[in-house]
Amino acid sequence: MKNAIASRIGEGLATLLPEFLCTAFAKQLAERNPQLLLEALGPKLNRTPSLDTMPFDLSPSAPLQFEDLSGLFASTSLDHGVIAMTVRQTAYLFGLVRRLKPRKVIEIGRYKGGSTLTIAAAMNGQGEFWSIDLGEKEARLHQRGTKRTFDDEIRDICKRFGLSVTLLVGDSRTIEVETGEVDLVFIDGDHSYEGVKNDFERFGRRVKVGGAVLFDDACDEAVFHTHSESVGKLLDEIVAQQSFRLVKSVNRLAHIERVR
């Protein structure tokens, strides 16, 4: 109700105010809180890319290399590619998986499948990979009707390149998955403090000594605030307990390693 009223007021002001006042307001808002502008512009820009339409510029064959995944990315910082992470973050994730050669990996939150394909490609069909997602974001942001789901696209592209992933649909707070001890967990699901803490306690703590847990949106980036007040807060608490150490932060991505 409150959002609807605010929207009507905003529409009225935008219609009545002269363009020079709208421009001045937008400039001041950009100075004071650019995140609000990003949230307003983002849904108006490109949300159409998916794995079905992603270009493969170099006509790859298996195994996929990182340069084959360039079509995952947005062309600007404001539009939406298949993957929301930056090139640096994605390269770090891909390279870490390649170097660790994990036998068991868990992903929390996959949306369009950009990070899922990145991890699966880096694993090159070896080991076990579980990806958990509720599907809420697809249902909320995309009116796909009878069209193929993002999970359909993920299954097809993984089959095409001989990549192994088990796609699980469910709430990470309650879903039961028997994995035993794992080598790497990538957490990019519910970004509330309670949500990300649940994901770490239920899945991140399954990582063996020497294994990796990665959190997306744990660190603020330039003028844009991510979820440092929730994901970042939990990260600080985990490191303070000294069972995990912070290895590196890359843009918004944080990598911790289990040390005991």
Side-chain angles (χ1 to χ4, degrees):
M1 183 67 175
K2 186 185 295 184
N3 289 340
I5 294 173
S7 179
R8 286 198 292 270
I9 293 173
E11 289 174 5
L13 288 175
T15 301
L16 295 173
L17 290 177
E19 186 172 338
F20 77 93
L21 283 180
C22 291
T23 301
F25 177 77
K27 287 181 178 178
Q28 287 299 313
L29 184 59
E31 290 291 333
R32 293 180 57 186
N33 195 338
Q35 184 69 26
L36 289 178
L37 279 182
L38 181 63
E39 290 174 359
L41 286 172
K44 304 295 184 183
L45 297 170
N46 186 9
R47 286 191 179 273
T48 59
S50 72
L51 291 176
D52 272 353
T53 60
M54 183 182 82
F56 284 103
D57 297 320
L58 293 173
S59 301
S61 59
L64 290 175
Q65 304 301 318
F66 183 73
E67 60 268 22
D68 297 321
L69 305 181
S70 62
L72 291 172
F73 299 97
S75 57
T76 76
S77 59
L78 289 179
D79 67 7
H80 295 257
V82 179
I83 196 168
M85 293 194 297
T86 66
V87 174
R88 280 190 64 206
Q89 288 175 257
T90 311
Y92 188 85
L93 175 62
F94 183 94
L96 181 65
V97 173
R98 273 282 164 94
R99 286 161 176 75
L100 287 179
K101 296 180 173 60
R103 304 304 302 170
K104 292 184 178 182
V105 175
I106 300 172
E107 174 187 45
I108 310 296
R110 62 176 171 268
Y111 189 27
K112 292 184 179 181
S115 58
T116 311
L117 179 60
T118 298
I119 294 169
M123 293 178 71
N124 194 27
Q126 304 299 308
E128 297 178 273
F129 176 22
W130 298 269
S131 176
I132 301 168
D133 191 89
L134 184 59
E136 179 274 337
K137 195 171 184 179
E138 178 175 0
R140 174 165 51 88
L141 295 177
H142 301 270
Q143 304 298 321
R144 293 169 70 87
T146 58
K147 294 181 181 178
R148 286 154 46 77
T149 66
F150 291 140
D151 280 0
D152 290 334
E153 298 181 18
I154 296 167
R155 290 188 188 94
D156 284 356
I157 200 167
C158 287
K159 181 179 180 181
R160 174 182 171 188
F161 290 103
L163 307 178
S164 177
V165 57
T166 300
L167 302 181
L168 301 172
V169 178
D171 190 337
S172 61
R173 295 172 187 263
T174 56
I175 193 170
E176 297 296 333
V177 188
E178 294 296 330
T179 65
E181 192 175 63
V182 302
D183 302 288
L184 184 145
V185 176
F186 177 66
I187 298 176
D188 187 22
D190 182 349
H191 282 39
S192 69
Y193 175 78
E194 294 77 14
V196 72
K197 184 175 182 180
N198 165 83
D199 291 340
F200 175 73
E201 294 294 337
R202 294 198 73 215
F203 299 101
R205 289 198 182 276
R206 300 186 188 191
V207 165
K208 68 180 185 182
V209 172
V213 179
L214 295 102
F215 294 91
D216 191 21
D217 296 319
C219 314
D220 287 339
E221 183 182 19
V223 297
F224 297 119
H225 300 295
T226 54
H227 296 273
S228 57
E229 78 289 347
S230 53
V231 184
K233 176 184 176 183
L234 178 67
L235 178 67
D236 291 340
E237 292 174 357
I238 294 169
V239 173
Q241 293 170 4
Q242 299 184 344
S243 293
F244 290 80
R245 71 178 184 92
L246 179 64
V247 177
K248 192 176 183 67
S249 296
V250 177
N251 296 145
R252 304 183 306 272
L253 185 72
H255 168 200
I256 59 176
E257 177 187 26
R258 185 160 199 164
V259 294
R260 67 181 187 188

